[in-house]
Amino acid sequence: MKTPDTVRPGERAFALLLVLFAGYAFREAYGISGFSGLTTGGVMPMLASGVMVVTALVILADTLRAPSGDGGGVRGVVAYLFPLRVVLFTALVGVYVAVIPWVGFLPASAGLLFVAIWALWRRGPVWAAGVSALSIGVIFVLFRLVFQVVLPAGSLWQ
């Protein structure tokens, strides 16, 4: 895997958080039984968290050595982590979750799939509707008929 030439926005702060989290995990693992023996209950958690500490320190050292990119401060980190497409799809999933109790699982899922496929595939609404309908049909057959799972119908239809 090719590593970037410069540090991405927020990468150094994230590497530092990794070290802090790994150190906390090691401290908690040590609290289980300490270094009292190789067969005690805390050995595996200490081993795993020790590996986490070492790898987090290596990652932190690599990010500190790498040249700094144009991060742009907090605004640059937010722009890097939350591009408009990610924010919009997160909002779409939020609407999907809110709509399921009202319209039911299948219509809400069909709407989510239609919008997502249309936005991402960009082949037009007819293709998106066809793929969505086919997908919902497969989901219905698998879950309702094969596995006999009762899918939420929604309060609108009752």
Side-chain angles (χ1 to χ4, degrees), residues 136-148:
I136 291 299
V138 169
I139 289 170
F140 178 78
V141 167
L142 277 176
F143 285 95
R144 186 68 189 112
L145 301 178
V146 175
F147 298 132
Q148 297 179 350

Side-chain angles (χ1 to χ4, degrees), residues 21-102:
F21 173 74
Y24 175 76
F26 186 80
R27 185 178 69 100
E28 290 296 312
Y30 179 78
I32 294 173
S33 63
F35 289 117
S36 59
L38 291 177
T39 59
T40 59
V43 169
M44 289 308 290
M46 280 193 302
L47 179 65
S49 59
V51 169
M52 287 172 54
V53 168
V54 170
T55 55
L57 287 170
V58 168
I59 291 169
L60 180 62
D62 286 347
T63 59
L64 290 175
R65 275 194 301 267
S68 192
D70 184 28
V74 173
R75 194 171 269 196
V77 172
V78 170
Y80 179 76
L81 293 177
F82 303 109
L84 182 61
R85 180 176 275 185
V86 171
V87 171
L88 291 177
F89 271 91
T90 303
L92 179 65
V93 170
V95 169
Y96 167 70
V97 168
V99 166
I100 285 178
W102 187 57

